[in-house]
Amino acid sequence: MNRVSVIVPCYQEEKYIASCLNSLIEGNFDFSETKSEILIFDGMSTDKTKAIIKEFISKFNYIKLYENHDRYAPHALNKGIDNANGEIIVRIDAHCIYPADYISELVKYHNEIDAGNIGGSWDTLPGDDSKKAAAIAMVMTHPLGMGSGTYRTIKGNSPVEVDTVPFGCWRRSLFSEIGNFDTVFLRDQDYEHNVRIKKAGKKIILLPWLRIKYYARENFSKIFRMFFQYGYWRPLLNKKHSQITNLRQLVPPVWVIGLILLLITAPFHIITGIAFLVYISIWLIPVLIISVSQSLKSKKGIIIIPYTMLSFFLIHFSYGIGYISGFFDVHILRKGAKSDIKVKATR
């Protein structure tokens, strides 16, 4: 059986790290028998994350903890790759719970399919019991919020070739061929790496039935920041690879530009005022219909309709503003070197 190195970047994950590690340990992949390992890279957490991890280390000698002084995920991933002893490398996010057959299925399909990267799909869960969290999780599972065909929304029982998967699983030899993660990309480093995989002529395979329980951000400020960052880094990615990786990414910034222009000009002319009302209605009507429909299906009921509509708006608007901000920095201010674009991503 293949030896596997699981890499876990984490920061301030006291709420989730125990459940994450238990789901891996209690799964059907035998870390001890295969001489596999779980390498955790902590970004200098100040909560109880490290203390919880050390309790696991005292019971399972295949778990190792490292300090990630660079603090960000791509640095942790590269350190993990350089220190790994496995022939197959699996990235794990501490914010999730994994199915029992997660590792074994990824290994199985790497042995059956010639693929550069293989991953599962998400079941998105609320970050807490609040109405805000329920609405955010709901929007992150709907195509209007996240786009069609992504690992957040896809269902099925057959492997699917896609552009990206959550987290990822690779043969170690792949990194010798196309390189490690680009640490310029404090966010979107996984998507950028997948672009290189595709350029190398390799497949990225999604296993839709391999469902990861992902806990979404629980409040509006976190979801705004998260999607702003996703949008912000995409122009730099496009510039590096001299291509628009998909046209869907242009919809939010184009929508935001139109919204702002019409909002500014609406008070000065009746035609632009009417145009603004029509423009916002084109967005508002489908969002309202979907918010009502989805809220009626939820445990919270119609009380979360306003939260659902606001979640849609924040995801669309924050990604759009982030993209515009990133485009301005990259193409107008000509920022792009490693020393330039740094601070607009979370750990």
Side-chain angles (χ1 to χ4, degrees), residues 186-305:
L186 303 182
R187 179 74 82 173
D188 251 5
Q189 71 279 159
D190 50 350
Y191 196 95
E192 189 279 329
H193 197 258
N194 283 327
V195 171
R196 280 187 273 149
I197 291 174
K198 297 282 281 188
K199 279 189 169 183
K202 300 182 183 298
K203 296 178 180 179
I204 299 172
I205 300 297
L206 175 70
L207 308 179
W209 67 89
L210 198 60
R211 305 201 67 81
I212 304 159
K213 288 182 170 61
Y214 168 79
Y215 289 95
R217 300 301 188 266
E218 68 273 18
N219 61 53
F220 293 139
S221 62
K222 287 183 179 181
I223 206 69
F224 185 95
R225 188 164 59 247
M226 176 181 176
F227 280 90
F228 178 93
Q229 292 155 9
Y230 281 138
Y232 180 85
W233 290 99
R234 196 51 61 93
L236 182 60
L237 188 156
N238 295 339
K239 181 180 180 181
K240 176 178 178 178
H241 293 284
S242 301
Q243 67 182 68
I244 302 293
T245 50
N246 63 65
L247 294 177
R248 188 173 64 242
Q249 69 185 259
L250 300 179
V251 175
V254 170
W255 177 74
V256 168
I257 291 170
L259 185 67
I260 293 173
L261 289 177
L262 287 172
L263 185 60
I264 292 172
T265 58
F268 301 104
H269 200 286
I270 189 169
I271 293 178
T272 53
I274 293 171
F276 172 76
L277 293 176
V278 172
Y279 190 82
I280 197 67
S281 295
I282 291 172
W283 177 87
L284 186 62
I285 291 171
V287 166
L288 176 59
I289 293 171
I290 291 168
S291 296
V292 171
S293 173
Q294 294 297 108
S295 298
L296 288 172
K297 297 176 185 177
S298 76
K299 294 180 180 178
K300 300 288 185 182
I302 60 173
I303 195 171
I304 66 167
I305 290 174

Side-chain angles (χ1 to χ4, degrees), residues 52-65:
I52 295 169
I53 293 169
K54 287 175 181 178
E55 290 182 15
F56 280 88
I57 290 174
S58 67
K59 301 174 185 176
F60 305 98
N61 60 11
Y62 52 79
I63 300 177
K64 302 173 185 176
L65 174 64

Side-chain angles (χ1 to χ4, degrees), residues 8 17 38 63 70 141 159 208 217 289 323:
V8 189
I17 189 65
I38 298 174
I63 300 177
D70 294 301
T141 63
R217 300 301 188 266
I289 293 171
Y323 193 101

Side-chain angles (χ1 to χ4, degrees), residues 109 113 157-161 205-209:
Y109 276 89
I113 297 176
N157 297 307
S158 300
V160 180
E161 187 172 355
I205 300 297
L206 175 70
L207 308 179
W209 67 89

